[in-house]
Amino acid sequence: MKTSTLESMLQSHPRADKTRAKNYAEALAALGACSDACSLCADACLAEAQHLADLRRCITTDLDCADVCDVTARLLLRQTEPPNDLVHAQLHACVIACQRCFDECTAHAAQHAHCKLCAEACRYCQGRCNFLLGEITSSGTAEDINEEDDPTLPA
């Protein structure tokens, strides 16, 4: 789905954080593109019959990253009473999955164009998820946290 459509959908949602609709839309678009790139890369790796043994780890890493991106996107779409602690943890998991896939695909990028393209999609997605991690805390948005109410801070 296009970023503009996603942003419009979020803007029309009665419970969505309208001030962050663009950030969410960009992350959702990046997650979808990364998932697709990883799935395509895994399939392209399977078609590399003469290099299949060398690409097994890449295939697994691609599929793992695609699955993590899909789950992350589904959680981000839930704007009515979002489980912020779970969203935060899932974004963190996605950053890790994207990094692992980026590293693995980069190792094969010189020989396989699909790995280079997948690595680029993973790096972009990782950046968008990292940005949202800075915007969303495990207990809500950064503005929702009041230092006086935080029991982990010294008095």
Side-chain angles (χ1 to χ4, degrees), residues 84-85 88 132-145:
N84 288 317
D85 56 343
H88 192 268
L132 276 187
L133 272 171
E135 294 287 307
I136 302 170
T137 68
S138 61
S139 56
T141 59
E143 292 86 37
D144 292 341
I145 307 276

Side-chain angles (χ1 to χ4, degrees), residues 26-27 29-31 33 98 102 119-129:
E26 288 173 355
L31 287 160
C98 286
F102 171 83
E120 291 169 3
C122 287
R123 180 58 82 202
Y124 182 73
C125 185
Q126 182 182 31
R128 298 314 312 154
C129 288

Side-chain angles (χ1 to χ4, degrees), residues 21-141:
K22 182 177 181 185
N23 296 335
Y24 273 80
E26 288 173 355
L28 286 163
L31 287 160
C34 189
S35 175
D36 291 347
C38 290
S39 295
L40 282 165
C41 187
D43 189 63
C45 287
L46 286 170
E48 302 275 2
Q50 67 277 20
H51 302 285
L52 192 55
D54 295 332
L55 293 171
R56 286 183 204 276
R57 183 180 179 117
C58 191
I59 294 165
T60 300
T61 305
D62 282 336
L63 296 174
D64 289 347
C65 190
D67 288 345
V68 171
C69 286
D70 287 341
V71 171
T72 304
R74 284 195 305 272
L75 284 175
L76 285 178
L77 288 170
R78 296 180 186 142
Q79 296 291 304
T80 304
E81 299 180 30
N84 288 317
D85 56 343
L86 187 58
V87 171
H88 192 268
Q90 188 63 37
L91 281 168
H92 184 70
C94 196
V95 167
I96 293 168
C98 286
Q99 181 65 50
R100 290 184 72 234
C101 195
F102 171 83
D103 290 344
E104 186 62 30
C105 283
T106 298
H108 304 286
Q111 296 168 318
H112 307 285
H114 53 84
C115 287
K116 181 179 188 269
L117 294 167
C118 186
E120 291 169 3
C122 287
R123 180 58 82 202
Y124 182 73
C125 185
Q126 182 182 31
R128 298 314 312 154
C129 288
N130 261 328
F131 181 81
L132 276 187
L133 272 171
E135 294 287 307
I136 302 170
T137 68
S138 61
S139 56
T141 59

